[in-house]
Amino acid sequence: MSALLIIDVQNDFMKGGSLEVSDANEILQPINSLRDKLKFDLVVLSQDYHPSNHISFASNHTGEKLFSTITLENGTEQVMWPDHCVQESHGCEFHKDLKILSSDEIVRKGMEVNVDSYSAFMGNDKKTKTRMETLLKEKNIKSVYVCGVAADYCVFFTAMDSKNAGFDTYFMKDLTKAVNPKELESIYQQLSDIHVKVINSCDISL
Ligand SMILES: [Zn+2]
């Protein structure tokens, strides 16, 4: 059984969004086409879903610069992001051109004020779990295919956690875009090191 995980294809990460990932709109149609071409047993959309006083927003930390990194009280590093994907806002909605079916599952993350969550499996504290792992195991999923944004943050950490949770995991490099494209080679290497398969979507056969 196979699952497609579409990570954070939300307005704030797309063209014109508050945390726009360059060229992110280019992956919309290819993701839709992949769904048309291949029959995944399950499609899960992750949704970054923050309260307005979220710890990841620079605006909630006096004097911290956008995109700087601070160390939180619990010892985790936290990038100071622009306000993004605030609950109930237009920015947190999925992009209108993304194909969504009523059978799709939505997994929200980053809802706790003091915990950011790049991975769709768990928070950056490595303790606060989303319902992703339980959902995939309930549906008897063995293979997980990951795409969306951003390649070097949420897609990367989701792929790592998927593999660590025991799923055969595929990172589709043609269906993701990075905040820092220069990091991609390092990202691919770290994924390969734990045996996540870094592939192009045209190479998939279910
Ligand atoms: Zn976020």
Side-chain angles (χ1 to χ4, degrees):
M1 302 284 268
S2 61
L4 174 66
L5 271 52
I6 304 173
I7 303 303
D8 298 7
V9 180
Q10 297 167 255
N11 290 324
D12 272 341
F13 297 125
M14 310 304 283
K15 192 168 180 56
S18 66
L19 185 35
E20 176 178 341
V21 178
S22 296
D23 304 326
N25 286 45
E26 291 177 10
I27 65 173
L28 287 163
Q29 288 312 319
I31 291 173
N32 293 343
S33 302
L34 183 69
R35 298 195 61 172
D36 292 337
K37 192 175 95 178
L38 297 174
K39 184 83 188 90
F40 292 95
D41 298 298
L42 175 68
V43 176
V44 186
L45 295 91
S46 75
Q47 187 176 31
D48 216 25
Y49 203 69
H50 298 312
S52 60
N53 58 343
H54 194 246
I55 198 162
S56 75
F57 298 168
S59 64
N60 291 321
H61 300 263
T62 312
E64 299 297 348
K65 278 172 55 176
L66 273 179
F67 303 107
S68 65
T69 301
I70 66 168
T71 303
L72 301 176
E73 280 175 23
N74 66 7
T76 57
E77 303 236 300
Q78 178 66 57
V79 177
M80 295 286 91
W81 299 110
D83 292 17
H84 65 278
C85 301
V86 174
Q87 295 172 8
E88 307 295 323
S89 70
H90 172 75
C92 91
E93 290 171 13
F94 297 112
H95 192 278
K96 64 177 173 49
D97 294 338
L98 182 70
K99 174 177 178 164
I100 301 176
L101 301 180
S102 57
S103 56
D104 294 351
E105 294 277 355
I106 293 171
V107 170
R108 288 175 167 168
K109 63 189 179 71
M111 282 106 77
E112 287 197 24
V113 173
N114 292 317
V115 183
D116 203 4
S117 189
Y118 295 150
S119 165
F121 283 80
M122 67 183 84
N124 296 0
D125 62 351
K126 305 292 179 198
K127 290 180 198 145
T128 313
K129 291 213 174 187
T130 69
R131 67 188 189 95
M132 182 70 85
E133 185 174 347
T134 306
L135 173 67
L136 298 179
K137 287 187 171 163
E138 271 173 10
K139 304 274 185 184
N140 219 10
I141 299 298
K142 298 284 181 267
S143 301
V144 170
Y145 297 82
V146 186
C147 64
V149 286
D152 44 342
Y153 285 95
C154 295
V155 181
F156 169 69
F157 284 102
T158 297
M160 296 287 277
D161 284 345
S162 171
K163 181 65 187 178
N164 288 330
F167 303 104
D168 290 331
T169 304
Y170 300 80
F171 178 101
M172 296 184 285
K173 55 186 175 180
D174 59 321
L175 299 184
T176 184
K177 295 291 177 184
V179 172
N180 298 304
K182 284 183 190 155
E183 296 295 320
L184 281 174
E185 286 308 319
S186 160
I187 292 294
Y188 297 159
Q189 188 59 53
Q190 291 175 68
L191 291 165
S192 300
D193 286 348
I194 67 160
H195 307 293
V196 171
K197 297 176 187 78
V198 179
I199 60 164
N200 284 310
S201 57
C202 60
D203 296 326
I204 302 175
S205 55
L206 296 181

